[in-house]
Amino acid sequence: MKQMLCSNCGNRVFFENLTCETCGSTLGYAPDEQLMLAFEVSGEDVWRRLGKPGAEYKSCVNRKTGVCNWVLPTASVHQHCVSCRTTHTIPELSKPENQRYWAALEQAKRRLFYTLIELVLPTPNKLEDPANGLSFEFLEQVDPQRRVLTGHDDGVITLNIAEADDARREHIRLAMHEPYRTLLGHFRHEIGHYFWDRLVRDTPWIDEYRSLFGDERADYSEALKKYYASPVADWPQRFISVYASSHPWEDWAETWAHYLHMIDGLETAAAWGTRLDLALPCGPPLSVQKLDLKAQSIRNAVVEQWLPVSQFINAMDRSLGAHDSYPFIVVPPVIEKLDFIHRVVSAGSSGSVPMNFLPRRGT
């Protein structure tokens, strides 16, 4: 993620900030500009931009509930920002903890949307575009006999709000023997399923996809039963995670999530001016660069940039007594899959290979 600065005083601020700690200005993130802006707020939601003049904005209505700091143009017919607009079900807020969980879920989703905007990938709202849109359903499990499972189904992404509880999520991670489990990881994985439908299904990419990931026409339920009964023993030689070995759809979604990890991680490291003098023992120094989203290939960037940065992050984690933030090994077959995803995204966002979006009614 890029460095965030208060547009009024130039002080460093962060993606989740509501106010500038230096000048006291009200802050709001403008996704159309990908900038954190400072405002003077008066009257009934009258937001006057401070610093550099520009378009007029209003706050997302969810700011009033403390779960969003994004803004949208004053002229917009919407009351919710582009991220909150896709949330269609929230938990019962009479429980105080559910307010915290909802806020954490929305915060993670906004980080997802930040990267999707950088990639120039569309995120339509399912209410406005039922055929192609997204719907996020944040559900609480209230009946022990009726499990709420995190997953994707035709643009509907369901998350169990228990995942927003750090203690419960860690319990699940340990019970399932997972090295990594985060809210943002869930969002990045599930949106990968959505974009497989938009970018790969029934497109010229399908044959290359099957050569790299496998044939997605294999029975999904049977594949999962087989996986849970006996995971593939040699999965580290071909997959980014053990779950990726369960079915070609899951391999795509897992690898897609890592593509987003890499984009955001390298952009953050580059924005902070990260330089690794010992990226490789006795090797040349490395000045970290953000991923070139227009590059024809990212194979070299994965090896020369992402691997040293992720190793450095893990080394810092261990120095602080924490779990590795990136407990994965990126092997050559995974690099080929990451490169394929990069080429697919680039072709989709540029329009050189049309995305799978059905015509909207009335258009």
Side-chain angles (χ1 to χ4, degrees), residues 119-146:
L119 291 171
V120 196
L121 291 175
T123 54
N125 181 330
K126 206 167 187 63
L127 287 177
E128 297 171 332
D129 188 356
N132 305 299
L134 280 164
S135 169
F136 287 87
E137 316 292 328
F138 300 148
L139 305 181
E140 178 183 14
Q141 182 170 314
V142 294
D143 182 351
Q145 304 303 316
R146 300 181 64 182

PDB file of all heavy atoms in Angstrom, residues 119-146:
ATOM      1  N   LEU A 119      -5.781  -2.593  -9.610  1.00  0.00           N
ATOM      2  CA  LEU A 119      -5.738  -3.521 -10.742  1.00  0.00           C
ATOM      3  C   LEU A 119      -6.756  -3.183 -11.829  1.00  0.00           C
ATOM      4  O   LEU A 119      -6.795  -3.862 -12.868  1.00  0.00           O
ATOM      5  CB  LEU A 119      -5.984  -4.951 -10.246  1.00  0.00           C
ATOM      6  CG  LEU A 119      -4.873  -5.572  -9.394  1.00  0.00           C
ATOM      7  CD1 LEU A 119      -5.338  -6.887  -8.778  1.00  0.00           C
ATOM      8  CD2 LEU A 119      -3.607  -5.777 -10.216  1.00  0.00           C
ATOM      9  N   VAL A 120      -7.568  -2.172 -11.595  1.00  0.00           N
ATOM     10  CA  VAL A 120      -8.610  -1.757 -12.540  1.00  0.00           C
ATOM     11  C   VAL A 120      -9.567  -2.924 -12.817  1.00  0.00           C
ATOM     12  O   VAL A 120      -9.935  -3.212 -13.959  1.00  0.00           O
ATOM     13  CB  VAL A 120      -8.011  -1.213 -13.857  1.00  0.00           C
ATOM     14  CG1 VAL A 120      -9.060  -0.433 -14.635  1.00  0.00           C
ATOM     15  CG2 VAL A 120      -6.797  -0.334 -13.608  1.00  0.00           C
ATOM     16  N   LEU A 121      -9.972  -3.590 -11.747  1.00  0.00           N
ATOM     17  CA  LEU A 121     -10.931  -4.680 -11.848  1.00  0.00           C
ATOM     18  C   LEU A 121     -12.285  -4.210 -11.315  1.00  0.00           C
ATOM     19  O   LEU A 121     -12.349  -3.593 -10.254  1.00  0.00           O
ATOM     20  CB  LEU A 121     -10.451  -5.903 -11.062  1.00  0.00           C
ATOM     21  CG  LEU A 121      -9.240  -6.625 -11.645  1.00  0.00           C
ATOM     22  CD1 LEU A 121      -8.781  -7.741 -10.708  1.00  0.00           C
ATOM     23  CD2 LEU A 121      -9.532  -7.193 -13.032  1.00  0.00           C
ATOM     24  N   PRO A 122     -13.361  -4.487 -12.021  1.00  0.00           N
ATOM     25  CA  PRO A 122     -14.692  -4.005 -11.622  1.00  0.00           C
ATOM     26  C   PRO A 122     -15.235  -4.751 -10.414  1.00  0.00           C
ATOM     27  O   PRO A 122     -14.984  -5.950 -10.229  1.00  0.00           O
ATOM     28  CB  PRO A 122     -15.546  -4.265 -12.858  1.00  0.00           C
ATOM     29  CG  PRO A 122     -14.863  -5.403 -13.557  1.00  0.00           C
ATOM     30  CD  PRO A 122     -13.397  -5.225 -13.297  1.00  0.00           C
ATOM     31  N   THR A 123     -15.997  -4.041  -9.585  1.00  0.00           N
ATOM     32  CA  THR A 123     -16.616  -4.644  -8.401  1.00  0.00           C
ATOM     33  C   THR A 123     -18.070  -4.179  -8.316  1.00  0.00           C
ATOM     34  O   THR A 123     -18.452  -3.439  -7.411  1.00  0.00           O
ATOM     35  CB  THR A 123     -15.866  -4.234  -7.123  1.00  0.00           C
ATOM     36  OG1 THR A 123     -15.778  -2.790  -7.075  1.00  0.00           O
ATOM     37  CG2 THR A 123     -14.469  -4.825  -7.097  1.00  0.00           C
ATOM     38  N   PRO A 124     -18.913  -4.611  -9.257  1.00  0.00           N
ATOM     39  CA  PRO A 124     -20.307  -4.153  -9.248  1.00  0.00           C
ATOM     40  C   PRO A 124     -21.072  -4.684  -8.037  1.00  0.00           C
ATOM     41  O   PRO A 124     -20.742  -5.721  -7.468  1.00  0.00           O
ATOM     42  CB  PRO A 124     -20.870  -4.735 -10.551  1.00  0.00           C
ATOM     43  CG  PRO A 124     -20.006  -5.939 -10.830  1.00  0.00           C
ATOM     44  CD  PRO A 124     -18.641  -5.557 -10.351  1.00  0.00           C
ATOM     45  N   ASN A 125     -22.102  -3.947  -7.689  1.00  0.00           N
ATOM     46  CA  ASN A 125     -22.982  -4.310  -6.586  1.00  0.00           C
ATOM     47  C   ASN A 125     -24.063  -5.254  -7.104  1.00  0.00           C
ATOM     48  O   ASN A 125     -24.678  -4.988  -8.135  1.00  0.00           O
ATOM     49  CB  ASN A 125     -23.607  -3.028  -6.036  1.00  0.00           C
ATOM     50  CG  ASN A 125     -24.527  -3.255  -4.865  1.00  0.00           C
ATOM     51  OD1 ASN A 125     -25.154  -4.295  -4.734  1.00  0.00           O
ATOM     52  ND2 ASN A 125     -24.624  -2.251  -4.024  1.00  0.00           N
ATOM     53  N   LYS A 126     -24.297  -6.352  -6.396  1.00  0.00           N
ATOM     54  CA  LYS A 126     -25.272  -7.337  -6.874  1.00  0.00           C
ATOM     55  C   LYS A 126     -26.702  -6.799  -6.879  1.00  0.00           C
ATOM     56  O   LYS A 126     -27.530  -7.257  -7.670  1.00  0.00           O
ATOM     57  CB  LYS A 126     -25.196  -8.622  -6.047  1.00  0.00           C
ATOM     58  CG  LYS A 126     -25.669  -9.856  -6.806  1.00  0.00           C
ATOM     59  CD  LYS A 126     -25.281 -11.127  -6.080  1.00  0.00           C
ATOM     60  CE  LYS A 126     -25.595 -12.364  -6.897  1.00  0.00           C
ATOM     61  NZ  LYS A 126     -24.837 -12.447  -8.160  1.00  0.00           N
ATOM     62  N   LEU A 127     -27.016  -5.834  -6.017  1.00  0.00           N
ATOM     63  CA  LEU A 127     -28.354  -5.254  -6.040  1.00  0.00           C
ATOM     64  C   LEU A 127     -28.595  -4.492  -7.336  1.00  0.00           C
ATOM     65  O   LEU A 127     -29.695  -4.496  -7.883  1.00  0.00           O
ATOM     66  CB  LEU A 127     -28.555  -4.330  -4.839  1.00  0.00           C
ATOM     67  CG  LEU A 127     -28.726  -5.006  -3.481  1.00  0.00           C
ATOM     68  CD1 LEU A 127     -28.851  -3.956  -2.389  1.00  0.00           C
ATOM     69  CD2 LEU A 127     -29.941  -5.923  -3.474  1.00  0.00           C
ATOM     70  N   GLU A 128     -27.566  -3.826  -7.835  1.00  0.00           N
ATOM     71  CA  GLU A 128     -27.691  -3.042  -9.056  1.00  0.00           C
ATOM     72  C   GLU A 128     -27.396  -3.856 -10.309  1.00  0.00           C
ATOM     73  O   GLU A 128     -27.868  -3.530 -11.395  1.00  0.00           O
ATOM     74  CB  GLU A 128     -26.734  -1.845  -8.994  1.00  0.00           C
ATOM     75  CG  GLU A 128     -27.059  -0.890  -7.861  1.00  0.00           C
ATOM     76  CD  GLU A 128     -25.992   0.169  -7.681  1.00  0.00           C
ATOM     77  OE1 GLU A 128     -24.815  -0.091  -8.017  1.00  0.00           O
ATOM     78  OE2 GLU A 128     -26.336   1.255  -7.196  1.00  0.00           O
ATOM     79  N   ASP A 129     -26.617  -4.918 -10.163  1.00  0.00           N
ATOM     80  CA  ASP A 129     -26.228  -5.756 -11.297  1.00  0.00           C
ATOM     81  C   ASP A 129     -26.313  -7.221 -10.864  1.00  0.00           C
ATOM     82  O   ASP A 129     -25.297  -7.865 -10.579  1.00  0.00           O
ATOM     83  CB  ASP A 129     -24.810  -5.388 -11.746  1.00  0.00           C
ATOM     84  CG  ASP A 129     -24.405  -6.077 -13.041  1.00  0.00           C
ATOM     85  OD1 ASP A 129     -25.187  -6.898 -13.556  1.00  0.00           O
ATOM     86  OD2 ASP A 129     -23.296  -5.791 -13.543  1.00  0.00           O
ATOM     87  N   PRO A 130     -27.527  -7.772 -10.781  1.00  0.00           N
ATOM     88  CA  PRO A 130     -27.700  -9.133 -10.246  1.00  0.00           C
ATOM     89  C   PRO A 130     -26.909 -10.202 -10.989  1.00  0.00           C
ATOM     90  O   PRO A 130     -26.447 -11.177 -10.371  1.00  0.00           O
ATOM     91  CB  PRO A 130     -29.209  -9.370 -10.386  1.00  0.00           C
ATOM     92  CG  PRO A 130     -29.810  -8.011 -10.415  1.00  0.00           C
ATOM     93  CD  PRO A 130     -28.820  -7.147 -11.125  1.00  0.00           C
ATOM     94  N   ALA A 131     -26.741 -10.050 -12.281  1.00  0.00           N
ATOM     95  CA  ALA A 131     -26.074 -11.096 -13.058  1.00  0.00           C
ATOM     96  C   ALA A 131     -24.581 -11.150 -12.805  1.00  0.00           C
ATOM     97  O   ALA A 131     -23.976 -12.232 -12.821  1.00  0.00           O
ATOM     98  CB  ALA A 131     -26.339 -10.878 -14.551  1.00  0.00           C
ATOM     99  N   ASN A 132     -23.962 -10.007 -12.568  1.00  0.00           N
ATOM    100  CA  ASN A 132     -22.508  -9.943 -12.475  1.00  0.00           C
ATOM    101  C   ASN A 132     -21.972  -9.478 -11.131  1.00  0.00           C
ATOM    102  O   ASN A 132     -20.770  -9.545 -10.892  1.00  0.00           O
ATOM    103  CB  ASN A 132     -21.970  -8.962 -13.534  1.00  0.00           C
ATOM    104  CG  ASN A 132     -22.439  -9.299 -14.933  1.00  0.00           C
ATOM    105  OD1 ASN A 132     -22.167 -10.356 -15.456  1.00  0.00           O
ATOM    106  ND2 ASN A 132     -23.175  -8.364 -15.549  1.00  0.00           N
ATOM    107  N   GLY A 133     -22.863  -9.007 -10.265  1.00  0.00           N
ATOM    108  CA  GLY A 133     -22.419  -8.274  -9.091  1.00  0.00           C
ATOM    109  C   GLY A 133     -21.918  -9.110  -7.938  1.00  0.00           C
ATOM    110  O   GLY A 133     -21.979 -10.340  -7.924  1.00  0.00           O
ATOM    111  N   LEU A 134     -21.397  -8.379  -6.929  1.00  0.00           N
ATOM    112  CA  LEU A 134     -20.881  -8.944  -5.691  1.00  0.00           C
ATOM    113  C   LEU A 134     -21.841  -8.674  -4.543  1.00  0.00           C
ATOM    114  O   LEU A 134     -22.468  -7.622  -4.473  1.00  0.00           O
ATOM    115  CB  LEU A 134     -19.537  -8.319  -5.346  1.00  0.00           C
ATOM    116  CG  LEU A 134     -18.301  -8.835  -6.075  1.00  0.00           C
ATOM    117  CD1 LEU A 134     -17.152  -7.845  -5.911  1.00  0.00           C
ATOM    118  CD2 LEU A 134     -17.909 -10.209  -5.557  1.00  0.00           C
ATOM    119  N   SER A 135     -21.928  -9.639  -3.632  1.00  0.00           N
ATOM    120  CA  SER A 135     -22.706  -9.476  -2.408  1.00  0.00           C
ATOM    121  C   SER A 135     -21.924 -10.113  -1.274  1.00  0.00           C
ATOM    122  O   SER A 135     -21.580 -11.288  -1.337  1.00  0.00           O
ATOM    123  CB  SER A 135     -24.074 -10.145  -2.542  1.00  0.00           C
ATOM    124  OG  SER A 135     -24.733 -10.206  -1.293  1.00  0.00           O
ATOM    125  N   PHE A 136     -21.628  -9.318  -0.247  1.00  0.00           N
ATOM    126  CA  PHE A 136     -20.938  -9.845   0.928  1.00  0.00           C
ATOM    127  C   PHE A 136     -21.959 -10.038   2.047  1.00  0.00           C
ATOM    128  O   PHE A 136     -22.676  -9.106   2.414  1.00  0.00           O
ATOM    129  CB  PHE A 136     -19.830  -8.896   1.376  1.00  0.00           C
ATOM    130  CG  PHE A 136     -18.639  -8.903   0.450  1.00  0.00           C
ATOM    131  CD1 PHE A 136     -18.604  -8.072  -0.652  1.00  0.00           C
ATOM    132  CD2 PHE A 136     -17.567  -9.752   0.682  1.00  0.00           C
ATOM    133  CE1 PHE A 136     -17.515  -8.072  -1.513  1.00  0.00           C
ATOM    134  CE2 PHE A 136     -16.475  -9.768  -0.168  1.00  0.00           C
ATOM    135  CZ  PHE A 136     -16.440  -8.928  -1.268  1.00  0.00           C
ATOM    136  N   GLU A 137     -21.992 -11.253   2.563  1.00  0.00           N
ATOM    137  CA  GLU A 137     -22.924 -11.617   3.616  1.00  0.00           C
ATOM    138  C   GLU A 137     -22.134 -11.956   4.878  1.00  0.00           C
ATOM    139  O   GLU A 137     -21.420 -12.962   4.919  1.00  0.00           O
ATOM    140  CB  GLU A 137     -23.775 -12.829   3.193  1.00  0.00           C
ATOM    141  CG  GLU A 137     -24.305 -12.767   1.763  1.00  0.00           C
ATOM    142  CD  GLU A 137     -25.343 -11.686   1.563  1.00  0.00           C
ATOM    143  OE1 GLU A 137     -26.085 -11.400   2.525  1.00  0.00           O
ATOM    144  OE2 GLU A 137     -25.416 -11.125   0.447  1.00  0.00           O
ATOM    145  N   PHE A 138     -22.220 -11.104   5.902  1.00  0.00           N
ATOM    146  CA  PHE A 138     -21.510 -11.303   7.153  1.00  0.00           C
ATOM    147  C   PHE A 138     -22.485 -11.913   8.160  1.00  0.00           C
ATOM    148  O   PHE A 138     -23.350 -11.212   8.698  1.00  0.00           O
ATOM    149  CB  PHE A 138     -20.943  -9.977   7.668  1.00  0.00           C
ATOM    150  CG  PHE A 138     -19.980  -9.321   6.711  1.00  0.00           C
ATOM    151  CD1 PHE A 138     -19.884  -7.939   6.642  1.00  0.00           C
ATOM    152  CD2 PHE A 138     -19.166 -10.078   5.884  1.00  0.00           C
ATOM    153  CE1 PHE A 138     -18.985  -7.328   5.774  1.00  0.00           C
ATOM    154  CE2 PHE A 138     -18.274  -9.495   5.005  1.00  0.00           C
ATOM    155  CZ  PHE A 138     -18.176  -8.106   4.956  1.00  0.00           C
ATOM    156  N   LEU A 139     -22.338 -13.200   8.398  1.00  0.00           N
ATOM    157  CA  LEU A 139     -23.344 -13.958   9.144  1.00  0.00           C
ATOM    158  C   LEU A 139     -22.801 -14.482  10.467  1.00  0.00           C
ATOM    159  O   LEU A 139     -21.631 -14.866  10.572  1.00  0.00           O
ATOM    160  CB  LEU A 139     -23.845 -15.138   8.298  1.00  0.00           C
ATOM    161  CG  LEU A 139     -24.396 -14.794   6.909  1.00  0.00           C
ATOM    162  CD1 LEU A 139     -24.864 -16.062   6.209  1.00  0.00           C
ATOM    163  CD2 LEU A 139     -25.529 -13.775   6.999  1.00  0.00           C
ATOM    164  N   GLU A 140     -23.675 -14.542  11.441  1.00  0.00           N
ATOM    165  CA  GLU A 140     -23.346 -15.108  12.749  1.00  0.00           C
ATOM    166  C   GLU A 140     -23.993 -16.476  12.876  1.00  0.00           C
ATOM    167  O   GLU A 140     -25.166 -16.656  12.544  1.00  0.00           O
ATOM    168  CB  GLU A 140     -23.869 -14.189  13.865  1.00  0.00           C
ATOM    169  CG  GLU A 140     -23.614 -14.721  15.264  1.00  0.00           C
ATOM    170  CD  GLU A 140     -24.201 -13.834  16.343  1.00  0.00           C
ATOM    171  OE1 GLU A 140     -25.031 -12.951  16.007  1.00  0.00           O
ATOM    172  OE2 GLU A 140     -23.854 -14.018  17.519  1.00  0.00           O
ATOM    173  N   GLN A 141     -23.238 -17.431  13.363  1.00  0.00           N
ATOM    174  CA  GLN A 141     -23.798 -18.761  13.602  1.00  0.00           C
ATOM    175  C   GLN A 141     -24.500 -18.759  14.955  1.00  0.00           C
ATOM    176  O   GLN A 141     -23.861 -18.621  15.998  1.00  0.00           O
ATOM    177  CB  GLN A 141     -22.696 -19.823  13.586  1.00  0.00           C
ATOM    178  CG  GLN A 141     -23.237 -21.234  13.786  1.00  0.00           C
ATOM    179  CD  GLN A 141     -22.174 -22.298  13.534  1.00  0.00           C
ATOM    180  OE1 GLN A 141     -21.455 -22.242  12.546  1.00  0.00           O
ATOM    181  NE2 GLN A 141     -22.091 -23.257  14.439  1.00  0.00           N
ATOM    182  N   VAL A 142     -25.811 -18.896  14.935  1.00  0.00           N
ATOM    183  CA  VAL A 142     -26.593 -18.884  16.169  1.00  0.00           C
ATOM    184  C   VAL A 142     -27.136 -20.262  16.510  1.00  0.00           C
ATOM    185  O   VAL A 142     -27.531 -20.516  17.641  1.00  0.00           O
ATOM    186  CB  VAL A 142     -27.751 -17.866  16.066  1.00  0.00           C
ATOM    187  CG1 VAL A 142     -27.196 -16.453  15.977  1.00  0.00           C
ATOM    188  CG2 VAL A 142     -28.646 -18.165  14.867  1.00  0.00           C
ATOM    189  N   ASP A 143     -27.165 -21.149  15.530  1.00  0.00           N
ATOM    190  CA  ASP A 143     -27.645 -22.518  15.736  1.00  0.00           C
ATOM    191  C   ASP A 143     -26.475 -23.475  15.535  1.00  0.00           C
ATOM    192  O   ASP A 143     -25.921 -23.560  14.433  1.00  0.00           O
ATOM    193  CB  ASP A 143     -28.762 -22.838  14.740  1.00  0.00           C
ATOM    194  CG  ASP A 143     -29.347 -24.231  14.940  1.00  0.00           C
ATOM    195  OD1 ASP A 143     -28.795 -25.019  15.732  1.00  0.00           O
ATOM    196  OD2 ASP A 143     -30.357 -24.539  14.275  1.00  0.00           O
ATOM    197  N   PRO A 144     -26.055 -24.210  16.583  1.00  0.00           N
ATOM    198  CA  PRO A 144     -24.919 -25.121  16.448  1.00  0.00           C
ATOM    199  C   PRO A 144     -25.114 -26.170  15.356  1.00  0.00           C
ATOM    200  O   PRO A 144     -24.138 -26.725  14.837  1.00  0.00           O
ATOM    201  CB  PRO A 144     -24.830 -25.788  17.834  1.00  0.00           C
ATOM    202  CG  PRO A 144     -25.516 -24.843  18.757  1.00  0.00           C
ATOM    203  CD  PRO A 144     -26.599 -24.208  17.946  1.00  0.00           C
ATOM    204  N   GLN A 145     -26.377 -26.441  15.024  1.00  0.00           N
ATOM    205  CA  GLN A 145     -26.664 -27.454  14.014  1.00  0.00           C
ATOM    206  C   GLN A 145     -26.618 -26.899  12.586  1.00  0.00           C
ATOM    207  O   GLN A 145     -26.692 -27.668  11.627  1.00  0.00           O
ATOM    208  CB  GLN A 145     -28.054 -28.069  14.278  1.00  0.00           C
ATOM    209  CG  GLN A 145     -28.217 -28.667  15.666  1.00  0.00           C
ATOM    210  CD  GLN A 145     -27.167 -29.731  15.953  1.00  0.00           C
ATOM    211  OE1 GLN A 145     -26.883 -30.580  15.101  1.00  0.00           O
ATOM    212  NE2 GLN A 145     -26.592 -29.685  17.143  1.00  0.00           N
ATOM    213  N   ARG A 146     -26.522 -25.581  12.458  1.00  0.00           N
ATOM    214  CA  ARG A 146     -26.509 -24.956  11.132  1.00  0.00           C
ATOM    215  C   ARG A 146     -25.235 -24.116  11.010  1.00  0.00           C
ATOM    216  O   ARG A 146     -25.176 -22.972  11.441  1.00  0.00           O
ATOM    217  CB  ARG A 146     -27.755 -24.091  10.919  1.00  0.00           C
ATOM    218  CG  ARG A 146     -29.063 -24.868  11.017  1.00  0.00           C
ATOM    219  CD  ARG A 146     -30.254 -23.966  10.769  1.00  0.00           C
ATOM    220  NE  ARG A 146     -30.265 -23.431   9.411  1.00  0.00           N
ATOM    221  CZ  ARG A 146     -31.187 -22.586   8.949  1.00  0.00           C
ATOM    222  NH1 ARG A 146     -32.156 -22.165   9.760  1.00  0.00           N
ATOM    223  NH2 ARG A 146     -31.140 -22.146   7.717  1.00  0.00           N
TER     224      ARG A 146
END
